[in-house]
Amino acid sequence: MAIQFKARIYVTLRPSVLDPAGVAVQSGLHQLGYDSVEGVRIGKYIELQLSAENQTAAEAQLDQMCDRLLANPVIENYCFELDEVPALAVDR
Amino acid sequence: MAIQFKARIYVTLRPSVLDPAGVAVQSGLHQLGYDSVEGVRIGKYIELQLSAENQTAAEAQLDQMCDRLLANPVIENYCFELDEVPALAVDR
C-alpha cells in the first residue's frame, strides 16, 4: 500500500550565481535601518504531498521532480525533507 | 560585542490564499507522470546574515524585517530559524 509523504523542498541559487533580487532586498533592509544585514539570498520553498511505496522511492521521485521541473540544475541547488504523513491525517 | 547570526526565513502563502504558481507546477508534475503529487504550495526561502547583541535581539529584528519588507502579512505567513555563526567563521 502506498504511503503518503509530505515534502519540503528548498531551491537555492548556486553560490557563484548572482542574485539581483537578494541584492535589492538587502538594499531595502539597509534603507529601513537594518545595517548589519548582509549576504541576502532568495530561493524557493516548495511544499507538496506525494505517495510512494516507501521513503526511498519517495526520495527518488522527488530527486527526479527537482531535476526535471522544480529546480534548474545549471544555476540552482536543491535539498528536501520528507515526512511520512500519519495514516489518520491522510484524508484531508 | 555584537554576535553574528545566520537566519533562514520561510515565507509561505496563508492556507486560505490561492496559489496559481503552485497549481501550475502541480499540473506540470502531473504531465510529467507524477500523478500522486498534490497540495503544491510555493513560497520563498531567504537566507541572510545579521549581527545583534544576543539571540532575543536578533529575533526581534528579524520579526520586524519580515513584517515590514520580507513578507506581506495580509496574505503570507513567515517563520525563521536563527543560528549563531561561530566566531572563527565571521570573517568571510
Side-chain angles (χ1 to χ4, degrees), chain A residues 34 38 41 43 45 49 64, chain B residues 34 38 43 45 47 49 64:
Chain A
Y34 305 104
E38 54 181 28
R41 304 283 289 177
Y45 170 64
Q49 281 109 48
Q64 282 185 14
Chain B
Y34 306 104
E38 54 182 30
Y45 170 63
E47 292 179 333
Q49 281 109 48
Q64 283 185 15

Side-chain angles (χ1 to χ4, degrees), chain A residues 7-68:
Chain A
R8 289 184 300 283
I9 304 158
Y10 310 92
V11 180
T12 48
L13 279 173
R14 286 178 187 272
S16 58
V17 176
L18 215 66
D19 179 3
V23 172
V25 165
Q26 181 165 320
S27 142
L29 287 170
H30 287 177
Q31 281 172 38
L32 288 174
Y34 305 104
D35 297 317
S36 77
V37 174
E38 54 181 28
V40 179
R41 304 283 289 177
I42 299 183
K44 279 176 287 183
Y45 170 64
I46 304 168
E47 291 179 334
L48 57 82
Q49 281 109 48
L50 76 164
S51 58
E53 291 298 307
N54 53 48
Q55 177 104 9
T56 313
E59 283 173 8
Q61 263 198 59
L62 267 177
D63 259 326
Q64 282 185 14
M65 287 185 221
C66 288
D67 278 329
R68 295 176 70 185

